[in-house]
Amino acid sequence: QYADAPVLHVYEPPRLDFVSPSCGPLSGGTALTVVGTQLRGGSSNRCRLSGLAFNATYVSTLQGDLMTCTTPHGALVGALADGTDAIPSIRTSATLGISLNAQQYTLLTSGLTPPGTTAGFDVGEGFALYADPSLSPSVVPAIIESDGQMITVF
């Protein structure tokens, strides 16, 4: 008996041009758009940020190929570029990659300049994480009565 031969898909490696936005909070939830070429045809599209992989979606536009993904909520603390669990007090570079098969990743090269930007624009390492801003305790309103009227002061 003969069996059908397995199908082998071969892709040109993707070329990543730039990512927008260039940074996002460590808590996650940043919608990323990666612009490049050869992003079409993947069987299992993924973004990977400093070792943490998550789903991505291919988008074809008149201007070219895009891959979109959203950084996962609450999972990036251990995914810092230096591998520590310390929360950065300033921007910390994070390695961003794209995969068409959830196995081999193409990394975003640093120092790429998006089209239409002014000279001197620098995306640094391609993507960076920053600590979420600390929130001050909520302000408790004071209620004051003046001339028979209640006034709320914040």
Side-chain angles (χ1 to χ4, degrees):
Q1 289 184 331
Y2 293 98
D4 290 335
V7 177
L8 176 65
H9 296 278
V10 178
Y11 301 102
E12 288 289 325
R15 190 188 90 224
L16 308 181
D17 294 330
F18 67 94
V19 62
S20 178
S22 62
C23 62
L26 193 58
S27 63
T30 303
L32 301 176
T33 300
V34 180
V35 178
T37 57
Q38 304 298 341
L39 301 178
R40 175 187 317 256
S43 59
S44 189
N45 297 326
R46 299 279 190 277
C47 286
R48 185 172 67 188
L49 190 58
S50 291
L52 181 66
F54 43 98
N55 290 333
T57 303
Y58 169 78
V59 179
S60 178
T61 70
L62 293 175
Q63 289 78 25
D65 293 342
L66 305 176
M67 194 76 73
T68 61
C69 53
T70 300
T71 59
H73 289 281
L76 294 173
V77 172
L80 296 177
D82 62 4
T84 68
D85 285 336
I87 296 176
S89 58
I90 57 173
R91 286 172 53 125
T92 300
S93 65
T95 305
L96 178 67
I98 294 292
S99 176
L100 303 181
N101 63 4
Q103 295 177 28
Q104 289 89 18
Y105 284 83
T106 299
L107 302 181
L108 182 67
T109 306
S110 64
L112 298 173
T113 305
T117 58
T118 60
F121 179 89
D122 181 16
V123 295
E125 294 301 314
F127 190 75
L129 296 169
Y130 57 83
D132 293 275
S134 60
L135 301 175
S136 61
S138 60
V139 176
V140 178
I143 300 175
I144 303 171
E145 186 175 339
S146 175
D147 295 330
Q149 294 185 13
M150 301 295 280
I151 300 172
T152 304
V153 179
F154 293 93

